[in-house]
Each structure stands twice: as structure tokens, then as C-alpha cells.
Amino acid sequence: MLVKWIRCTVVDRPGFERGQRKWAGLPGEPGFRGQGGGWSRGRPNVAHVFSFWESRAFYDSFMARSHDRLAASQSGTYRDMQVRLFEHRFDVKVGFEPRFSDADVVRVAHCRVRPDRVDHFTLVQEKVWNPAMAGSPGMLRGVFGEAPGNEFLVLSMWDSAAEHGKYRVERIERLGLRAQTEADVAAIAGDVVRVESAWTV
């Protein structure tokens, strides 16, 4: 599965919201699995969109055919768009599905990992972070993806911002020490995204 993460700063919020609803045509596209997103909880007017495709081949075909027509309605409503693609490596919690209907917030973490620490980083993601997240009340599902250049994405969906907040306060620091995160990660960026149900496809 391919995971696409789009982040941008919105300059025309009503226009962007209207355009976002035009993506309702996506389910007819071969290989499309789901899309959702919303507004950053910490950064005004920053929007995140996550879409999921069965494979890079299906995604490339969509980009060559239908993408520009669907995207045209949002032209001029945003700036500073960043797009990243990640190949699914494993689920966070079992049985990941690209559904957003039951999620209140999505936590996204983007990690650049030191080349000599990739194997360790991947291992602790599987053995330390995943079980901790999967066992946390309110954590619904998630995905761990990889991109060229030792870049990784950890995406987790939560049924409430409050439950995610508790997980952060109670567990992150302790788990980070155990996982030796500082030794693995050269840079980390992230956000907590308030899911907008109207954007879910």
C-alpha cells in the first residue's frame, strides 16, 4: 500500500473546503483505498490530507489521468504545499484500514533516521512503540511507512484528542528513552490533526 501525505497552508478557507469536497469522485479510481484529513490543532490554517492506494502503479496512473481535473477547484486556495509518498511497511495495531469515520484526531510523525540506525529504528518501532500505542485506550489504528532517503512516517488514529493527550503525557518520554530515539533520529516533525468528516472519501 502507498500512503500519500499532503500538507499546505490554506489562504482561502471556504474555497479550500469547497474544493476538498470535489475529491468525492476518488472512489471510482482503480486502486484507491481511502482519503481523509483535517486541520492542524496547533498551527492555524495548516491542512493535512492523507490518501491511500493499493500500489504505486495505481497511484501513478491516477496522477497521469484524473488528478489535475479534481485538483483544479482548489487552485489558488493554498500555498507551501508539501507532498510525500511512503510505502507501507507494517500496521500499528493489527488490521489497518484507511477509515477516518470513527477518528477524532490523527497524529502524524515524520522521522529522518540516521543511515546506520535504520534497522534499529524499525525494530523498536515494531517492538516498543507499536505495542505501547496499540495498548493505549482510544488508539484505533495506524500505519508505519518508509520513503527513500531514510524517511519514515508514523500515522496513528485516535478516537479522542484527550486519549491521545494522555498517551503523550504518560508514556512518550519513558518510551523514548527505552527506544533510544535520540540516537536513531536525525530530525523529527509532527502534528496532531483534527479530522474533518466532510473531507473523508
Side-chain angles (χ1 to χ4, degrees):
M1 185 171 66
L2 187 76
V3 184
K4 180 179 188 178
W5 171 34
I6 304 162
R7 182 179 58 202
C8 62
T9 302
V10 174
V11 293
D12 170 6
R13 206 157 161 147
F16 185 85
E17 293 262 17
R18 278 194 305 275
Q20 199 57 40
R21 288 193 271 277
K22 297 277 199 258
W23 295 97
L26 276 171
E29 293 292 333
F32 174 73
R33 297 279 307 278
Q35 180 168 291
W39 298 103
S40 165
R41 283 174 57 94
R43 298 177 188 140
N45 297 317
V46 170
H48 296 264
V49 178
F50 309 96
S51 65
F52 301 84
W53 296 82
E54 279 178 30
S55 69
R56 180 65 188 256
F58 279 123
Y59 170 74
D60 286 345
S61 172
F62 162 72
M63 291 300 290
R65 289 178 300 101
S66 310
H67 173 269
D68 290 359
R69 174 175 51 80
L70 290 169
S73 60
Q74 281 178 306
S75 178
T77 65
Y78 59 84
R79 59 181 171 79
D80 304 333
M81 178 174 277
Q82 297 174 45
V83 178
R84 287 194 162 83
L85 301 173
F86 298 86
E87 287 288 348
H88 171 273
R89 285 285 303 271
F90 47 77
D91 294 348
V92 180
K93 215 165 178 174
V94 294
F96 178 80
E97 292 175 38
R99 284 189 298 114
F100 290 82
S101 54
D102 53 351
D104 181 45
V105 295
V106 174
R107 163 67 179 161
V108 56
H110 176 222
C111 305
R112 294 182 191 279
V113 177
R114 295 183 174 93
D116 60 327
R117 301 287 295 189
V118 165
D119 290 345
H120 181 264
F121 176 79
T122 305
L123 183 69
V124 296
Q125 185 64 43
E126 207 166 2
K127 304 292 186 198
V128 177
W129 291 106
N130 276 12
M133 267 198 276
S136 293
M139 193 277 183
L140 300 170
R141 66 189 77 84
V143 65
F144 178 77
E146 182 176 7
N150 307 317
E151 283 188 45
F152 294 87
L153 179 78
V154 185
L155 191 72
S156 57
M157 300 181 181
W158 299 76
D159 68 7
S160 78
E163 289 294 357
H164 175 255
K166 276 193 268 185
Y167 166 75
R168 286 182 70 175
V169 168
E170 293 168 6
R171 310 191 77 169
I172 293 267
E173 190 175 337
R174 183 169 48 82
L175 289 166
L177 291 170
R178 188 173 150 209
Q180 300 173 8
T181 302
E182 284 192 7
D184 289 349
V185 175
I188 185 165
D191 212 345
V192 178
V193 182
R194 191 182 71 250
V195 173
E196 291 287 337
S197 58
W199 300 11
T200 299
V201 181

